[in-house]
Amino acid sequence: MAVHGLGHTLVIANPVAHSGKGAQATQLVRRFFESFSNATTSFDLETTRSIGDAVEIAAHAGGMDTVIALGGDGIIHEVVNGLMAIDDRDRPTLGIIPMGTGNDFARSIHQTFNDPEASLRELLNGTVRTIDLGLVSSDLFPEGPVPGSEGTFFMETLSFGMDAAIAIDTTHRRAAGTTTEGSALFMTSTLKVALAGAAGYPCHVSIDGEELDLHSVMFAVQNGPTYGGGFRICPSASPFDGVLDICYNTYRPNLPHLLALLVLARFGKHTHSRAVRFRQAQTITLDFGDAMPPCQVDGEELKGSRFKVRAVPQALNVIFPN
């Protein structure tokens, strides 16, 4: 469905995104909508001040036509969880103005990132498509960011083990003000985490009812193909097929082999390695026993030892660029 104006529109902006460039983008977007009244029926703009603000703001946006998330994958993740708390009859369409260091969701929907003018053009000339989401809960967090929810929704990525530790490290480094971005940030965090040790975690896994015992060094569950600023960990993943894509290790590779796999994954060239296997599934459970492995969901840390994951088909309307 083609976009013909954004209707009643709410912009949720993270002004500190992309080393503060989010503030400039926020002002540009405000000026644009004030100058071009035909782009919306009405518009409001709210800025976030702390983690969780975007969830709360989006959860109260029922009845709006469009909610635009301005910022990185973290703010988009929060907005998605807020929107999913709204009854689907009143749930707004999601648009994004990606201003982050990873921008993996923007890559999945082929949206221009870190260029707010281009993103605005793409939103106004785009097409609305309905995407799947993933949903994860843990024994420590059976609810998600919205009280009473079944868990935490993710639009792009969920992972456990070494790759999760890397993602969490990149999040901490961004919060500390690093100027390193994208795949360079992911690779430098990879070296840091790998050199600290990547022994893996014994894990009992159920994939659509098939039981497996793994020694999990890495276990990625993807709704879109990339994580870590463009690493194509599940190159065939699609947010339209009703299933989640999985990449996991079949044995414990030594450190040089593991690093080589991650380098190959930058371009999706690891798919022929015997060290990894790819699957698709609608439901997944993981039980790490007494261990609490690193876990990230869209770059945000999620703690627990036992996890339930499922695909949520046709969950959310999103504006795609043409």
XYZ file of all heavy atoms in Angstrom, residues 12-109:
717
model
N 9.051 10.153 17.658
C 9.728 9.868 18.925
C 11.222 9.871 18.626
O 11.709 9.021 17.884
C 9.293 8.520 19.516
C 7.775 8.496 19.710
C 10.007 8.262 20.842
C 7.232 7.152 20.168
N 11.935 10.845 19.181
C 13.327 11.080 18.792
C 14.270 10.918 19.965
O 13.986 11.355 21.084
C 13.472 12.486 18.189
N 15.402 10.311 19.672
C 16.500 10.209 20.643
C 17.571 11.223 20.245
O 18.352 10.971 19.324
C 17.072 8.792 20.646
C 18.264 8.663 21.589
O 18.526 9.547 22.403
N 19.001 7.567 21.474
N 17.634 12.375 20.911
C 18.550 13.433 20.467
C 20.014 13.099 20.655
O 20.875 13.758 20.054
C 18.139 14.635 21.329
C 17.489 14.043 22.533
C 16.817 12.791 22.064
N 20.350 12.110 21.473
C 21.766 11.778 21.674
C 22.217 10.649 20.760
O 23.364 10.203 20.846
C 22.054 11.408 23.151
C 21.696 12.561 24.067
C 21.305 10.140 23.555
N 21.329 10.175 19.862
C 21.702 9.100 18.945
C 22.834 9.539 18.031
O 22.970 10.730 17.705
C 20.492 8.691 18.104
N 23.644 8.571 17.629
C 24.721 8.786 16.661
C 25.633 9.925 17.108
O 25.887 10.888 16.388
C 24.143 9.076 15.274
C 25.125 8.900 14.147
N 26.054 7.888 14.118
C 25.326 9.618 13.019
C 26.769 7.987 13.013
N 26.346 9.038 12.339
N 26.104 9.804 18.361
C 27.046 10.779 18.946
C 26.494 12.196 18.913
O 27.229 13.157 18.655
C 28.397 10.710 18.210
O 28.938 9.397 18.266
N 25.204 12.345 19.176
C 24.597 13.662 19.255
C 24.029 14.175 17.946
O 23.339 15.203 17.939
N 24.285 13.471 16.833
C 23.729 13.931 15.554
C 22.222 13.756 15.509
O 21.546 14.345 14.661
C 24.395 13.177 14.404
C 25.880 13.515 14.241
C 26.517 12.738 13.103
C 28.009 13.065 13.016
N 28.695 12.271 11.972
N 21.703 12.955 16.432
C 20.261 12.819 16.528
C 19.578 14.131 16.858
O 18.440 14.369 16.433
N 20.250 15.002 17.611
C 19.660 16.304 17.951
C 19.495 17.168 16.701
O 18.461 17.830 16.517
C 20.534 17.017 18.976
N 20.506 17.164 15.837
C 20.405 17.916 14.582
C 19.294 17.350 13.706
O 18.517 18.103 13.097
C 21.739 17.860 13.842
C 22.913 18.448 14.612
C 24.236 18.185 13.917
O 24.297 18.046 12.690
N 25.306 18.104 14.692
N 19.227 16.023 13.638
C 18.184 15.393 12.834
C 16.800 15.709 13.389
O 15.850 15.932 12.629
C 18.405 13.883 12.804
N 16.670 15.747 14.709
C 15.392 16.063 15.338
C 14.915 17.446 14.940
O 13.746 17.649 14.587
C 15.515 15.967 16.869
O 15.886 14.637 17.233
C 14.216 16.338 17.559
N 15.821 18.425 14.966
C 15.448 19.790 14.583
C 15.113 19.879 13.100
O 14.192 20.606 12.705
C 16.571 20.756 14.958
C 16.770 20.909 16.459
C 15.472 21.234 17.181
O 14.724 22.139 16.786
N 15.183 20.485 18.246
N 15.858 19.152 12.281
C 15.555 19.149 10.843
C 14.164 18.591 10.590
O 13.395 19.156 9.797
C 16.608 18.316 10.106
C 16.510 18.268 8.577
C 17.892 18.080 7.967
C 15.602 17.141 8.075
N 13.820 17.494 11.263
C 12.506 16.881 11.080
C 11.404 17.811 11.580
O 10.365 17.970 10.939
C 12.456 15.518 11.804
C 11.034 14.973 11.877
C 13.370 14.518 11.104
N 11.629 18.475 12.713
C 10.639 19.424 13.227
C 10.389 20.549 12.209
O 9.230 20.882 11.894
C 11.103 20.019 14.557
C 10.056 20.932 15.201
C 10.659 21.693 16.368
N 11.134 20.821 17.423
C 10.367 20.323 18.380
N 9.071 20.609 18.403
N 10.891 19.553 19.321
N 11.472 21.121 11.689
C 11.324 22.206 10.712
C 10.612 21.724 9.454
O 9.781 22.441 8.882
C 12.695 22.787 10.359
C 13.353 23.570 11.493
C 14.531 24.383 10.969
N 15.561 23.540 10.385
C 16.580 23.010 11.062
N 16.688 23.234 12.363
N 17.480 22.261 10.453
N 10.930 20.496 9.033
C 10.301 19.970 7.818
C 8.793 19.871 7.988
O 8.025 20.341 7.140
C 10.885 18.601 7.477
C 10.228 17.957 6.286
C 10.678 18.218 5.010
C 9.134 17.101 6.449
C 10.062 17.640 3.904
C 8.514 16.524 5.354
C 8.982 16.795 4.079
N 8.344 19.248 9.067
C 6.905 19.058 9.250
C 6.193 20.374 9.532
O 5.009 20.526 9.191
C 6.632 18.035 10.354
C 6.877 16.614 9.923
C 7.669 15.773 10.693
C 6.321 16.117 8.763
C 7.897 14.459 10.304
C 6.544 14.807 8.362
C 7.333 13.972 9.131
N 6.879 21.330 10.141
C 6.279 22.647 10.337
C 6.145 23.391 9.009
O 5.207 24.177 8.815
C 7.131 23.470 11.303
C 7.024 23.001 12.755
C 7.973 23.736 13.676
O 8.920 24.405 13.166
O 7.807 23.642 14.909
N 7.065 23.132 8.082
C 7.070 23.856 6.802
C 6.170 23.205 5.763
O 5.641 23.897 4.881
C 8.499 23.933 6.245
O 9.348 24.621 7.139
N 6.002 21.886 5.831
C 5.229 21.161 4.820
C 4.022 20.517 5.503
O 4.020 19.333 5.815
C 6.099 20.112 4.125
C 7.237 20.713 3.341
C 8.484 20.855 3.935
C 7.054 21.157 2.044
C 9.534 21.420 3.220
C 8.096 21.727 1.328
C 9.344 21.862 1.926
N 2.997 21.337 5.710
C 1.823 20.875 6.460
C 1.057 19.787 5.716
O 0.300 19.026 6.335
C 0.893 22.049 6.759
O 0.499 22.684 5.548
N 1.245 19.693 4.385
C 0.522 18.660 3.639
C 1.132 17.270 3.829
O 0.556 16.271 3.406
C 0.475 19.006 2.150
C 1.861 19.110 1.534
O 2.848 19.341 2.241
N 1.943 18.941 0.225
N 2.302 17.193 4.479
C 2.926 15.886 4.705
C 2.193 15.100 5.778
O 2.237 13.862 5.797
C 4.392 16.063 5.095
N 1.524 15.806 6.698
C 0.797 15.149 7.785
C -0.541 15.843 7.983
O -0.737 16.985 7.558
C 1.578 15.230 9.118
O 1.701 16.597 9.507
C 2.958 14.605 8.983
N -1.446 15.148 8.654
C -2.683 15.800 9.095
C -2.387 16.652 10.319
O -2.919 17.754 10.485
C -3.741 14.736 9.441
O -3.916 13.883 8.312
C -5.063 15.386 9.808
N -1.556 16.124 11.203
C -1.029 16.839 12.360
C 0.232 16.108 12.784
O 0.428 14.948 12.426
C -2.046 16.853 13.521
O -2.256 15.538 13.998
N 1.078 16.782 13.523
C 2.261 16.081 14.003
C 2.650 16.592 15.372
O 2.406 17.730 15.749
C 3.429 16.209 13.013
C 4.379 17.340 13.305
C 5.540 17.118 14.042
C 4.117 18.629 12.871
C 6.414 18.152 14.328
C 4.977 19.663 13.143
C 6.143 19.429 13.877
N 3.252 15.688 16.135
C 3.814 16.024 17.427
C 5.189 15.379 17.489
O 5.450 14.375 16.817
C 2.925 15.504 18.564
C 3.311 16.100 19.920
O 4.119 17.046 19.944
O 2.809 15.598 20.937
N 6.063 15.944 18.277
C 7.415 15.407 18.403
C 7.770 15.349 19.880
O 7.652 16.351 20.589
C 8.411 16.271 17.624
C 9.844 15.737 17.499
C 10.492 16.238 16.212
C 10.711 16.144 18.698
N 8.187 14.158 20.314
C 8.614 13.979 21.706
C 10.018 13.404 21.717
O 10.343 12.506 20.925
C 7.649 13.054 22.457
C 6.252 13.644 22.587
C 5.457 12.982 23.693
O 6.054 12.674 24.750
O 4.250 12.772 23.486
N 10.851 13.920 22.612
C 12.220 13.427 22.722
C 12.367 12.569 23.971
O 11.703 12.779 24.983
C 13.230 14.590 22.786
O 12.914 15.442 23.887
C 13.201 15.390 21.487
N 13.253 11.603 23.870
C 13.514 10.711 25.002
C 14.648 11.271 25.846
O 15.535 11.961 25.345
C 13.882 9.304 24.519
O 15.079 9.358 23.728
C 12.757 8.717 23.677
N 14.604 10.943 27.142
C 15.645 11.392 28.065
C 16.375 10.231 28.723
O 17.499 10.397 29.196
C 15.036 12.301 29.138
C 14.537 13.635 28.583
C 13.827 14.464 29.645
N 13.478 15.782 29.148
C 12.413 16.036 28.392
N 11.595 15.037 28.048
N 12.155 17.261 27.971
N 15.718 9.074 28.746
C 16.342 7.924 29.396
C 15.808 6.642 28.769
O 14.816 6.651 28.019
C 16.075 7.929 30.899
O 14.680 7.881 31.159
N 16.475 5.531 29.088
C 16.068 4.228 28.567
C 14.645 3.926 29.016
O 14.280 4.119 30.175
C 17.033 3.141 29.067
C 18.419 3.352 28.458
C 16.512 1.747 28.718
C 19.481 2.435 29.025
N 13.826 3.460 28.095
C 12.441 3.112 28.392
C 11.439 4.188 28.049
O 10.236 3.902 27.954
N 11.902 5.428 27.853
C 10.965 6.513 27.542
C 10.177 6.235 26.265
O 8.960 6.481 26.197
C 11.717 7.842 27.376
C 12.118 8.457 28.698
O 11.771 7.889 29.748
O 12.796 9.507 28.681
N 10.862 5.730 25.234
C 10.196 5.536 23.944
C 9.127 4.460 24.025
O 8.102 4.529 23.328
C 11.216 5.183 22.865
N 9.337 3.444 24.868
C 8.307 2.421 25.069
C 7.035 3.069 25.606
O 5.929 2.852 25.095
C 8.784 1.327 26.059
C 7.675 0.316 26.293
C 10.034 0.640 25.549
N 7.192 3.862 26.644
C 6.049 4.503 27.292
C 5.334 5.446 26.336
O 4.086 5.459 26.263
C 6.528 5.266 28.530
C 5.444 5.963 29.320
C 4.557 5.004 30.097
O 4.937 3.833 30.248
O 3.480 5.447 30.544
N 6.094 6.242 25.596
C 5.475 7.201 24.674
C 4.720 6.465 23.574
O 3.569 6.788 23.259
C 6.551 8.124 24.060
C 7.210 8.977 25.152
C 5.941 9.022 22.985
C 8.473 9.688 24.693
N 5.355 5.454 22.975
C 4.722 4.723 21.876
C 3.494 3.961 22.338
O 2.502 3.842 21.601
C 5.727 3.769 21.237
N 3.523 3.438 23.566
C 2.400 2.650 24.073
C 1.136 3.492 24.225
O 0.029 2.940 24.295
C 2.767 2.010 25.408
N 1.284 4.814 24.278
C 0.135 5.706 24.415
C -0.189 6.416 23.102
O -0.871 7.443 23.097
C 0.398 6.744 25.517
C 0.386 6.150 26.894
N 1.512 5.640 27.496
C -0.637 5.957 27.774
C 1.195 5.164 28.693
N -0.101 5.343 28.888
N 0.277 5.854 21.979
C 0.065 6.486 20.672
C -1.077 5.834 19.901
O -1.185 6.025 18.684
C 1.357 6.417 19.852
N -1.929 5.074 20.592
C -3.055 4.454 19.915
C -3.936 5.486 19.227
O -4.224 6.541 19.792
N -4.364 5.172 18.010
C -5.190 6.099 17.249
C -4.408 6.997 16.323
O -4.993 7.606 15.412
N -3.090 7.138 16.535
C -2.269 7.863 15.576
C -2.178 7.040 14.298
O -2.323 5.818 14.306
C -0.860 8.091 16.128
C -0.792 8.870 17.428
S -1.337 10.591 17.277
C 0.031 11.301 16.362
N -1.921 7.713 13.187
C -1.740 6.992 11.924
C -0.305 6.483 11.778
O -0.091 5.358 11.330
C -2.079 7.905 10.737
C -3.545 8.287 10.722
O -4.393 7.374 10.719
O -3.834 9.497 10.732
N 0.657 7.317 12.164
C 2.066 6.980 11.973
C 2.864 7.371 13.197
O 2.678 8.463 13.743
C 2.655 7.728 10.748
O 1.831 7.501 9.604
C 4.076 7.256 10.451
N 3.740 6.488 13.626
C 4.728 6.815 14.647
C 6.103 6.641 14.013
O 6.416 5.573 13.470
C 4.601 5.932 15.896
C 5.795 6.135 16.820
C 3.309 6.243 16.637
N 6.906 7.697 14.056
C 8.244 7.677 13.470
C 9.270 7.599 14.587
O 9.279 8.437 15.493
C 8.492 8.932 12.605
C 7.497 8.977 11.436
C 9.933 8.962 12.093
C 7.560 10.274 10.638
N 10.137 6.598 14.525
C 11.233 6.456 15.479
C 12.495 7.052 14.864
O 12.944 6.608 13.805
C 11.461 4.987 15.820
N 13.051 8.058 15.543
C 14.280 8.702 15.078
C 15.408 8.328 16.038
O 15.375 8.699 17.207
C 14.093 10.217 15.009
C 15.215 11.045 14.389
C 14.691 12.409 13.921
C 16.403 11.270 15.329
N 16.359 7.571 15.547
C 17.475 7.139 16.372
C 18.027 5.828 15.869
O 17.781 5.424 14.730
N 18.772 5.135 16.727
C 19.367 3.868 16.360
C 18.435 2.692 16.612
O 17.246 2.858 16.942
N 18.983 1.488 16.477
C 18.171 0.282 16.653
C 17.572 0.202 18.055
O 16.490 -0.369 18.231
C 19.019 -0.957 16.381
C 19.248 -1.192 14.891
O 18.394 -0.784 14.087
O 20.282 -1.777 14.532
N 18.251 0.774 19.057
C 17.726 0.734 20.413
C 16.409 1.470 20.544
O 15.462 0.975 21.178
N 16.323 2.663 19.955
C 15.090 3.442 20.061
C 13.986 2.806 19.216
O 12.806 2.803 19.597
C 15.320 4.924 19.684
C 14.266 5.818 20.353
C 15.302 5.138 18.195
C 14.511 6.033 21.801
N 14.353 2.234 18.058
C 13.362 1.545 17.233
C 12.809 0.344 17.995
O 11.604 0.090 18.000
C 13.971 1.119 15.888
C 14.456 2.345 15.104
C 12.943 0.343 15.056
C 15.293 2.009 13.879
N 13.691 -0.395 18.658
C 13.282 -1.543 19.471
C 12.282 -1.118 20.543
O 11.256 -1.788 20.751
C 14.533 -2.155 20.111
C 14.254 -3.177 21.159
N 13.906 -4.476 20.865
C 14.266 -3.089 22.523
C 13.724 -5.148 21.985
N 13.937 -4.337 23.007
N 12.545 -0.010 21.219
C 11.617 0.469 22.249
C 10.277 0.861 21.641
O 9.211 0.541 22.192
C 12.229 1.646 22.998
C 13.369 1.274 23.926
C 13.700 2.390 24.909
O 12.910 3.353 25.012
O 14.731 2.288 25.582
N 10.308 1.573 20.524
C 9.062 1.999 19.884
C 8.252 0.792 19.438
O 7.022 0.745 19.626
C 9.361 2.952 18.702
C 8.097 3.200 17.880
C 9.913 4.279 19.221
N 8.912 -0.210 18.871
C 8.210 -1.425 18.456
C 7.498 -2.063 19.653
O 6.328 -2.451 19.558
C 9.197 -2.421 17.813
C 8.574 -3.811 17.706
C 9.615 -1.937 16.429
N 8.179 -2.158 20.793
C 7.552 -2.770 21.964
C 6.399 -1.937 22.482
O 5.386 -2.483 22.936
C 8.601 -3.020 23.039
C 9.338 -4.324 22.837
O 8.893 -5.373 23.269
N 10.461 -4.256 22.134
N 6.518 -0.612 22.410
C 5.398 0.233 22.797
C 4.210 0.065 21.863
O 3.059 -0.059 22.319
N 4.458 0.031 20.563
C 3.368 -0.116 19.596
C 2.662 -1.456 19.745
O 1.437 -1.547 19.585
C 3.912 0.023 18.170
C 4.419 1.410 17.762
C 4.948 1.381 16.334
C 3.323 2.467 17.898
N 3.418 -2.503 20.075
C 2.806 -3.825 20.191
C 1.931 -3.954 21.439
O 1.198 -4.931 21.585
C 3.879 -4.900 20.168
C 4.571 -5.050 18.816
S 3.428 -5.354 17.449
C 2.804 -6.978 17.890
N 1.998 -2.964 22.325
C 1.104 -2.937 23.484
C -0.265 -2.364 23.124
O -1.195 -2.425 23.931
C 1.726 -2.124 24.616
N -0.403 -1.812 21.918
C -1.649 -1.204 21.462
C -2.473 -2.242 20.706
O -1.929 -3.041 19.936
C -1.345 0.003 20.538
C -0.520 1.056 21.298
C -2.625 0.612 19.990
C -0.006 2.170 20.405
N -3.787 -2.245 20.923
C -4.671 -3.135 20.176
C -4.432 -2.947 18.679
O -4.279 -1.816 18.203
C -6.126 -2.814 20.521
C -7.093 -3.786 19.878
O -7.446 -3.561 18.698
O -7.469 -4.772 20.527
N -4.396 -4.055 17.939
C -4.019 -3.968 16.528
C -4.977 -3.116 15.704
O -4.604 -2.607 14.642
C -3.853 -5.358 15.902
C -5.086 -6.231 16.038
O -6.130 -5.734 16.491
O -4.991 -7.427 15.685
N -6.196 -2.897 16.180
C -7.140 -2.036 15.449
C -6.758 -0.569 15.537
O -7.145 0.226 14.664
C -8.555 -2.240 15.979
C -9.150 -3.616 15.696
C -10.436 -3.837 16.459
N -10.207 -3.839 17.908
C -11.142 -4.058 18.816
N -12.394 -4.259 18.428
N -10.844 -4.055 20.105
N -6.012 -0.196 16.581
C -5.623 1.200 16.774
C -4.110 1.411 16.626
O -3.618 2.513 16.859
C -6.032 1.674 18.174
C -7.540 1.706 18.359
O -8.235 2.119 17.413
O -8.010 1.307 19.443
N -3.394 0.360 16.260
C -1.930 0.423 16.238
C -1.436 1.238 15.032
O -1.779 0.946 13.896
C -1.347 -0.986 16.188
C 0.172 -1.039 16.337
C 0.649 -2.481 16.324
N 0.061 -3.214 17.440
C -0.291 -4.496 17.385
N -0.146 -5.193 16.256
N -0.808 -5.089 18.445
N -0.614 2.255 15.275
C -0.091 3.059 14.168
C 0.895 2.272 13.303
O 1.462 1.253 13.710
C 0.622 4.221 14.874
C 0.100 4.213 16.278
C -0.231 2.791 16.583
N 1.121 2.790 12.122
C 2.189 2.303 11.250
C 3.518 2.866 11.740
O 3.591 4.022 12.169
C 1.929 2.743 9.798
O 0.751 2.086 9.319
C 3.093 2.414 8.880
N 4.561 2.067 11.669
C 5.899 2.499 12.075
C 6.672 3.041 10.875
O 6.717 2.416 9.814
C 6.669 1.317 12.674
C 8.158 1.555 12.978
C 8.330 2.557 14.110
C 8.865 0.248 13.303
N 7.283 4.204 11.074
C 8.277 4.719 10.134
C 9.561 4.961 10.891
O 9.536 5.168 12.106
N 10.697 4.912 10.210
C 11.960 5.138 10.905
C 12.810 6.176 10.188
O 12.795 6.290 8.966
C 12.769 3.833 11.106
C 13.232 3.253 9.773
C 11.961 2.819 11.883
C 14.241 2.115 9.931
N 13.521 6.948 11.001
C 14.593 7.818 10.516
C 15.841 7.320 11.234
O 16.118 7.710 12.374
C 14.305 9.298 10.807
C 13.030 9.723 10.062
C 15.490 10.178 10.394
C 12.610 11.144 10.331
N 16.593 6.406 10.609
C 17.681 5.708 11.302
C 18.891 6.619 11.508
O 19.468 7.123 10.550
C 18.028 4.543 10.365
C 17.001 4.564 9.281
C 16.440 5.931 9.239
N 19.249 6.799 12.767
C 20.407 7.616 13.136
C 21.183 6.851 14.203
O 21.106 7.144 15.388
C 19.954 8.981 13.672
C 19.258 9.866 12.661
S 20.351 10.464 11.354
C 21.556 11.394 12.294
N 21.916 5.828 13.788
C 22.624 5.002 14.746
C 23.984 4.585 14.245
O 24.444 5.024 13.189
N 24.632 3.716 15.011
C 25.939 3.204 14.605
C 25.825 1.849 13.930
O 26.685 1.487 13.131
C 26.880 3.077 15.820
O 26.268 2.246 16.801
C 27.154 4.444 16.424
N 24.777 1.085 14.244
C 24.595 -0.227 13.628
C 23.591 -0.208 12.498
O 23.862 -0.668 11.396
N 22.389 0.326 12.774
C 21.336 0.496 11.773
C 20.973 -0.809 11.060
O 20.708 -0.820 9.854
C 21.750 1.560 10.739
C 21.943 2.929 11.347
O 21.045 3.467 11.987
N 23.125 3.495 11.173
N 20.928 -1.905 11.798
C 20.652 -3.188 11.143
C 19.215 -3.308 10.659
O 18.966 -3.895 9.604
C 21.009 -4.337 12.076
C 22.513 -4.553 12.160
O 23.105 -4.871 11.116
O 23.090 -4.381 13.241
N 18.254 -2.757 11.409
C 16.877 -2.823 10.935
C 16.718 -1.991 9.659
O 16.028 -2.403 8.725
C 15.913 -2.342 12.016
C 14.464 -2.456 11.612
C 13.906 -3.684 11.315
C 13.659 -1.328 11.540
C 12.569 -3.796 10.930
C 12.329 -1.421 11.173
C 11.775 -2.657 10.869
N 17.365 -0.842 9.607
C 17.319 -0.025 8.392
C 17.886 -0.794 7.204
O 17.359 -0.711 6.082
C 18.098 1.275 8.600
N 18.952 -1.551 7.428
C 19.513 -2.363 6.348
C 18.502 -3.398 5.867
O 18.395 -3.671 4.668
C 20.785 -3.066 6.837
C 21.924 -2.132 7.215
C 23.059 -2.906 7.884
N 23.935 -2.042 8.639
C 24.997 -1.417 8.142
N 25.320 -1.576 6.871
N 25.737 -0.641 8.908
N 17.759 -3.990 6.817
C 16.805 -5.034 6.451
C 15.657 -4.495 5.607
O 15.134 -5.208 4.745
C 16.247 -5.713 7.705
O 17.218 -6.536 8.295
N 15.246 -3.255 5.855
C 14.143 -2.700 5.061
C 14.655 -1.775 3.956
O 13.874 -1.098 3.295
C 13.109 -1.976 5.953
C 13.663 -0.683 6.544
C 12.609 -2.898 7.063
C 12.600 0.157 7.250
